[in-house]
Structure formats: structure tokens, C-alpha cells
């Protein structure tokens, strides 16, 4: 479901007139819906370590160099050098003084920091992308802009989460007659996203009931 379709689903839920193009979205509530859809899409993508946001890239670390630009577009999950896992350390002092642990890395400002090596190294990075949207050319980006843009959240979960979440935020009134329905549908979609997007059935969340 693309961006324009999501907006029209929101308008339908709110009993507003639907539109044929983005050019018709001129009212204040239209602009609020656009803003809220972007906010919720990013919030959902950032609340969990979702498999659908995992990406991989390589970085080059020249010999004798301990700092390189951090070009990773997101949050690092794993980092490997020569097949060995390097753990993140928030203590940058050893890296600044040249006494860093042999299998650790850190960050400072917009730099990644490593121990110095006497040979060039290739760094293998597994990370969660901070992008949340895919455009018509299959290019990832952070925000909905064009009507053909789609969320990286998989369907059918994206529709339920974004439409009902946006309606909840727009009305923001528990006394509104549809509020409870929207909230229950949003919660259901979030639980389904958590339970049904894992590749492994053994890794899906379960509920255990115990008798006293």
C-alpha cells in the first residue's frame, strides 16, 4: 500500500473526503496526517530490532589508521574483522591513547574507532537501517514524500499500524467513538508484526500460562 493509499485510508476512517492526488492535500488535517504517518512509521521501525531492516556493508580500514568516517546508515548490530566479532565499547579513552582492546571498537562524533593494524582490513558490518521508506525506484529513504512511496514495514501490518496509529494521533481523544477500535486494531497489528515477521518459527514470541 503506497503513501497516497495510506492517506486515503486515514481519510476514510475519519469520514473525510478522499483525494485523487497529493496536490489535493491542502487542508490542515491533510498536512497533519502526512506528518503523523511519517512520525509513526519511523517510531515503529525504531522500537525493535526488526529483521526486515537488517542490512550489510563493508568498510575499509587502512593499515596504521585507527579512525574512519562512520558511513553506516543506522544502528550497528554486529561488526567483524577477519571473521572475529568486535564488541562496542563506550569508553573512547583507550582508542585515543592507542591502548584499545584487540577486539573492540568505539565511536566518537562521526567517526568509528578501532585498534591500529599493520595491514589493511575489511570491516564487515551488519546493521539496522534508519531508512523506513522505499520509493518507486527501489531506493530507501527516511520519509514518505511521493504518493508511490511505500513503508519498509511489511504488509499487511503496515496498513493497520500506520492508518490506525495516525487516526489515534490525529484525534487524540479517548472519548471519540472510534478511538477504542483504532487502539485495539493498532495493538493487534503490532503484536502480529512482532510474532509473524521472524524467519524462524522458534524465534517468535510466545505466551506461557502457569497454574498455581
Amino acid at each position: 500500500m503506497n503513501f497516497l493509499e495510506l492517506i486515503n485510508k486515514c481519510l476514510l476512517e475519519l469520514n473525510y473526503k478522499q483525494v485523487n492526488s497529493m496536490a489535493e492535500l491542502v487542508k490542515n488535517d491533510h498536512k497533519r496526517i502526512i506528518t503523523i504517518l511519517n512520525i509513526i512509521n519511523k517510531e515503529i521501525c525504531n522500537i525493535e530490532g526488526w529483521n526486515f531492516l537488517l542490512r550489510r556493508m563493508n568498510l575499509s580500514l587502512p593499515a596504521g589508521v585507527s579512525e574512519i568516517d562512520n558511513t553506516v546508515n543506522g544502528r550497528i548490530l554486529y561488526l567483524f574483522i577477519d571473521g572475529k566479532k568486535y564488541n562496542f565499547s563506550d569508553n573512547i579513552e583507550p582508542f585515543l591513547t592507542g591502548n584499545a582492546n584487540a577486539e573492540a571498537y568505539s565511536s566518537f562524533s562521526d567517526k568509528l574507532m578501532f585498534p591500529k593494524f599493520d595491514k589493511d582490513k575489511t570491516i564487515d558490518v551488519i546493521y539496522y537501517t534508519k531508512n523506513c521508506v522505499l520509493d518507486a525506484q527501489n531506493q530507501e529513504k527516511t520519509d514518505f514524500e511521493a504518493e508511490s512511496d511505500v513503508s519498509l514495514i511489511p504488509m499487511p501490518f503496515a496498513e493497520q499500524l500506520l492508518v490506525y496509529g495516525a487516526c489515534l494521533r490525529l484525534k487524540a481523544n479517548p472519548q471519540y467513538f472510534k478511538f477504542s477500535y483504532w487502539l485495539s486494531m493498532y495493538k493487534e497489528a503490532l503484536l502480529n508484526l512482532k510474532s509473524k515477521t521472524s524467519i524462524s518459527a522458534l524465534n517468535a514470541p510466545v505466551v506461557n500460562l502457569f497454574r498455581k
Side-chain angles (χ1 to χ4, degrees):
M1 177 168 281
N2 65 35
F3 190 30
L4 184 60
E5 290 169 335
L6 287 171
I7 292 169
N8 271 326
K9 287 284 285 188
C10 290
L11 294 173
L12 181 64
E13 282 294 324
L14 295 161
N15 296 318
Y16 294 166
K17 182 182 177 181
Q18 294 180 278
V19 298
N20 296 310
S21 70
M22 299 290 286
E24 296 177 39
L25 299 169
V26 295
K27 296 181 179 180
N28 285 337
D29 275 357
H30 291 159
K31 295 174 183 178
R32 290 178 64 199
I33 289 170
I34 290 171
T35 299
I36 291 169
L37 282 171
N38 271 308
I39 290 171
I40 293 175
N41 193 47
K42 283 187 276 194
E43 283 182 351
I44 293 169
C45 286
N46 282 287
I47 60 173
E48 295 275 345
W50 304 113
N51 286 337
F52 57 83
L53 295 179
L54 279 175
R55 304 290 183 268
R56 189 173 195 167
M57 68 180 297
N58 288 330
L59 301 173
S60 296
L61 181 66
V65 173
S66 61
E67 295 182 15
I68 59 173
D69 291 338
N70 182 5
T71 56
V72 180
N73 187 38
R75 298 170 293 154
I76 295 173
L77 178 61
Y78 298 121
L79 188 149
F80 302 96
I81 301 176
D82 294 335
K84 294 181 180 179
K85 179 183 174 183
Y86 278 59
N87 294 313
F88 179 77
S89 171
D90 55 8
N91 181 13
I92 65 172
E93 183 180 349
F95 296 89
L96 296 172
T97 58
N99 297 310
N101 184 296
E103 294 180 8
Y105 73 99
S106 189
S107 67
F108 176 69
S109 186
D110 58 350
K111 303 287 185 181
L112 290 175
M113 309 175 76
F114 301 92
K116 287 184 180 180
F117 296 93
D118 55 6
K119 295 180 180 179
D120 293 349
K121 296 292 181 180
T122 296
I123 303 166
D124 186 16
V125 181
I126 309 296
Y127 67 100
Y128 293 106
T129 179
K130 70 177 182 180
N131 290 323
C132 310
V133 174
L134 194 67
D135 68 16
Q137 288 72 47
N138 287 324
Q139 297 297 311
E140 294 183 358
K141 57 184 183 179
T142 57
D143 292 295
F144 289 116
E145 295 169 316
E147 61 184 57
S148 57
D149 291 345
V150 296
S151 173
L152 289 181
I153 301 169
M155 288 292 289
F157 314 107
E159 177 184 348
Q160 229 176 300
L161 286 166
L162 298 177
V163 171
Y164 295 126
C167 291
L168 284 168
R169 291 282 182 92
L170 187 71
K171 288 301 181 182
N173 180 8
Q175 304 306 315
Y176 188 76
F177 74 101
K178 280 190 173 182
F179 191 90
S180 295
Y181 169 72
W182 291 336
L183 183 59
S184 66
M185 295 298 285
Y186 176 86
K187 288 180 176 179
E188 177 186 285
L190 189 58
L191 287 172
N192 285 334
L193 180 65
K194 290 180 179 180
S195 64
K196 296 178 181 178
T197 55
S198 175
I199 297 298
S200 170
L202 298 177
N203 198 39
V206 296
V207 176
N208 294 315
L209 300 177
F210 300 95
R211 287 186 177 180
K212 290 186 178 179

